[in-house]
Amino acid sequence: GGPAGIMAAITAAKYGAAVTLFEATNRIGNKILLTGNGKCNFSNLYLDKSCYYCQDKLFLENIFDKFSSVDCKAFFEELGMLVKDKNGYLYPLGEQASIVLDVLRMELKRWNVYVLTESKVVRLVKDKDTFALGIENGNEYLFDKVILCTGGRSYPKTGSDGNGYKLAKKLGHHIFPTVPALVQLVGCDNFYKTVTGVRSEGCVTLYVDGKSLKTERGEIQFTDYGISGIPIFQLSRMAAYALMDNKSVKIVANVLPDFDDELLDKLIKNRIKLHKSNSIEEFMCGLSNKK
């Protein structure tokens, strides 16, 4: 009952299948309501394999060829939803995620998709040409085909608790190791409480076993547990895989990204010349956040 499952159900029904949609929680579309801070950025005009982390970029190209952002926009417009383009990000005109969910629910109803909520699938077994499906309350069902669209394990409260990986594995699929991505990073230094709440434009570089892997720029957010912000989110997947392999992981944050060594050296020497009697705190005033 997430966005992928709903789209799969609608598409299968359009092609003539009798479809049952299973949802573990008490309503479908929980994640849709959370996306884009409740406004639902449902697609982007610029879809390119370079924008995505994936071990199989050809797989992504095939997806985009079959269902592009233009197709996605047209799909929702055909359902009667007006679409707004904000710098290449596509939203419903009313900028409410509930609009996206409402038109999808109406489409499920139109194509007679049978929706079962509070029905977490815990067993999925293939026997010749039939799939036996069991849900948590003990009920069992038989189907000719099954589409597994459970999401990952990013947000258990919405139903994305990793259960789909277990079901797929039992069916014989190979599962690549998964790690948290687009998340903040928890540090082991002792200065975080001092800088909590600081937001600073800057560059962050990820080092794994002493080797620089990637640098991202944007607003860095310092917290009482570590470091956050968009540039950290961008690096978190690489950091998490390195941590999973027990490698040494370090983040170096540069809060003066527009200063090279020569310019900074010149600035410091000039400040020393003008303000010899200043304390270090006074000397640093204006260079970066006081904390």
Side-chain angles (χ1 to χ4, degrees):
I6 292 171
M7 288 293 287
I10 290 169
T11 306
K14 279 183 177 181
Y15 278 90
V19 183
T20 301
L21 183 66
F22 291 87
E23 166 58 38
T25 67
N26 61 1
R27 67 175 179 183
I28 64 170
N30 290 303
K31 268 184 165 178
I32 294 174
L33 297 176
L34 297 175
T35 55
N37 289 323
K39 296 181 180 181
C40 192
N41 163 216
F42 67 87
S43 190
N44 306 298
L45 291 180
Y46 181 66
L47 281 180
D48 184 79
K49 62 182 181 181
S50 64
C51 301
Y52 291 82
Y53 291 113
C54 181
Q55 292 177 325
D56 186 356
K57 294 296 176 85
L58 183 61
F59 174 70
L60 288 178
E61 285 183 343
N62 290 336
I63 291 172
F64 299 151
D65 285 344
K66 286 175 180 166
F67 194 77
S68 67
S69 58
V70 175
D71 296 324
C72 188
K73 183 172 179 284
F75 171 83
F76 281 104
E77 287 175 335
E78 285 173 14
L79 299 191
M81 187 179 88
L82 299 178
V83 176
K84 176 187 255 183
D85 171 7
K86 290 175 70 175
N87 300 317
Y89 301 97
L90 298 180
Y91 294 86
L93 183 63
E95 293 196 40
Q96 285 182 290
S98 57
I99 296 171
V100 177
L101 181 54
D102 285 344
V103 296
L104 289 173
R105 289 169 74 106
M106 286 188 279
E107 193 69 353
L108 287 170
K109 186 177 180 182
R110 183 162 82 97
W111 290 99
N112 297 313
V113 173
Y114 185 48
V115 179
L116 282 172
T117 56
E118 296 182 313
S119 300
K120 182 176 181 178
V121 178
V122 293
R123 194 173 74 85
L124 185 56
V125 179
K126 188 175 188 298
D127 182 19
K128 295 181 181 177
D129 296 327
T130 306
F131 288 92
L133 185 148
I135 62 175
E136 209 165 34
N137 65 9
N139 288 348
E140 299 232 343
Y141 302 83
L142 293 176
F143 294 100
D144 301 314
K145 306 285 182 185
V146 170
I147 303 176
L148 192 60
C149 297
T150 63
R153 59 180 67 178
S154 59
Y155 203 158
K157 285 184 179 178
T158 66
S160 294
D161 60 1
N163 183 51
Y165 295 136
K166 297 174 186 175
L167 295 173
K169 198 170 184 179
K170 284 181 180 177
L171 287 171
H173 292 286
H174 172 71
I175 308 298
F176 285 101
T178 57
V179 295
L182 294 177
V183 293
Q184 65 274 44
L185 294 175
V186 177
C188 54
D189 298 291
N190 58 11
F191 63 83
Y192 293 117
K193 287 192 176 1
T194 309
V195 294
T196 298
V198 172
R199 292 170 178 253
S200 175
E201 178 72 20
C203 289
V204 285
T205 302
L206 172 68
Y207 287 84
V208 173
D209 284 347
K211 182 182 177 183
S212 170
L213 285 193
K214 194 171 177 62
T215 298
E216 293 282 350
R217 178 166 178 162
E219 186 182 70
I220 307 165
Q221 297 175 22
F222 295 94
T223 68
D224 59 357
Y225 57 76
I227 193 167
S228 187
I230 298 298
I232 296 299
F233 292 171
Q234 297 288 71
L235 296 175
S236 60
R237 176 181 178 272
M238 296 171 72
Y241 272 117
L243 289 169
M244 184 181 73
D245 293 334
N246 294 315
K247 293 179 179 178
S248 167
V249 176
K250 182 171 74 171
I251 290 281
V252 173
N254 176 6
V255 294
L256 293 173
D258 296 320
F259 288 75
D260 59 22
D261 289 350
E262 186 180 347
L263 184 59
L264 188 59
D265 186 61
K266 186 177 178 181
L267 175 70
I268 290 172
K269 284 177 178 175
N270 189 49
R271 283 196 168 210
I272 291 171
K273 185 177 176 182
L274 293 172
H275 307 287
K276 287 183 181 178
S277 60
N278 282 11
S279 67
I280 287 293
E281 185 177 350
E282 291 168 336
F283 179 81
M284 296 295 291
C285 183
L287 266 180
S288 61
N289 188 288
K290 191 174 181 179
K291 281 190 177 183

